[in-house]
């Protein structure tokens, strides 16, 4: 098995899988949509359970005092239940949130779509201490599409999810950090460099930065 198909990547041959995460909610709710989008774009299989599926809801919430006032409710792989679940809480519960490892980076990248991941690969492969900050999941818009036909180097096409997974693994193999599941909320000069703040209060110091958040406003 090559590096690119090691444990850090999904095993596409192993699907279908049994979801280890369940969400009880109302399909039409915006938070419910955000959670489904977040989980699918991060490659986390999940089971969506409508609140009116009484039998399944009873099985999942048996023994708790959780109910319609606590939607959406996320049941994590360890069995713990998150009432009024948010993307941030679910990401933390799944261990997808990591803190910056270094006190300072050469390059901070905002957004880990194809452009940000390419910047991370080339920055890190040139020896820059590189970190990419991503609000949702690696791959950006491209990560949401089932097939990209015109990406260089994939003559038969590649799914957006697989492209995102491969690019993230490649960036990390060169030593780049990819911090997921919370957006940058502020960036300011800090001496000769920059201080970037994430929505959970984490701070990233860097000598330079690259803004690759695409259609999203700085
Ligand atoms: C359904 C679909 C199918 C497509 N198919 C094709 C195709 O076949 N061929 C093709 O050439 N193009 C295709 N595209 C277009 C292609 O996906 C985009 O051109 C490409 O993704 C742009 O890459 P990007 O990295 O510049 O931006 P994006 O992909 O938009 O990535 C930007 C990233 O920045 C993150 N971000 C935004 N704000 C912040 C913040 N404050 N802090 C941290 N992170 C932030 C976002 O969450 C996102 O992940 C498709 C797009 C879609 C939606």
């Amino acid at each position: 098995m090559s590096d690119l198909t090691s444990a850090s990547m999904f095993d596409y041959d192993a699907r279908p899988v049994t979801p280890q995460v369940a969400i009880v909610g109302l399909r039409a709710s915006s938070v419910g949509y955000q959670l489904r989008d977040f989980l699918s774009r991060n490659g986390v299989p999940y089971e969506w359970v409508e609140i009116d599926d009484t039998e399944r809801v009873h099985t999942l919430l048996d023994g708790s005092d959780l109910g319609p006032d606590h939607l959406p409710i996320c049941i994590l792989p360890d069995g713990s239940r998150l009432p009024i679940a948010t993307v941030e809480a679910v990401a933390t519960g799944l261990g997808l949130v990591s803190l910056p490892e270094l006190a300072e980076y050469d390059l901070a990248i905002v957004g880990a779509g194809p452009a940000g991941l390419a910047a991370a690969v080339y920055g890190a492969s040139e020896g820059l201490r590189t970190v990419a900050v991503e609000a949702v999941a690696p791959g950006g818009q491209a990560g949401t599409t089932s097939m990209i036909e015109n990406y260089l180097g994939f003559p038969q096409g590649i799914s957006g999810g697989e492209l995102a997974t491969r690019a993230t693994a490649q960036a990390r193999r060169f030593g780049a950090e990819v911090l997921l599941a919370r957006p940058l909320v502020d960036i300011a000069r800090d001496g000769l460099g920059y201080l970037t703040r994430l929505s959970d209060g984490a701070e990233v110091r860097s000598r330079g930065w690259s803004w690759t958040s695409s259609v999203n406003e700085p």
Side-chain angles (χ1 to χ4, degrees), residues 77-165:
D78 65 1
S80 58
R81 297 159 174 145
L82 298 177
I84 315 178
T86 61
V87 166
E88 289 78 8
V90 171
T92 302
L94 290 172
L96 292 173
V97 174
S98 56
L99 291 171
E101 289 179 8
L102 303 182
E104 186 188 56
Y105 297 84
D106 297 311
L107 175 63
I109 298 162
V110 184
L117 289 171
V121 166
Y122 292 109
S125 67
E126 289 299 322
L128 299 180
R129 296 167 300 166
T130 301
V131 61
V133 176
E134 167 53 48
V136 185
Q141 295 174 67
T144 66
T145 184
S146 57
M147 182 59 73
I148 299 173
E149 303 273 9
N150 60 345
Y151 203 87
L152 190 68
F154 294 92
Q156 306 302 322
I158 183 169
S159 76
E162 187 172 359
L163 178 68
T165 306

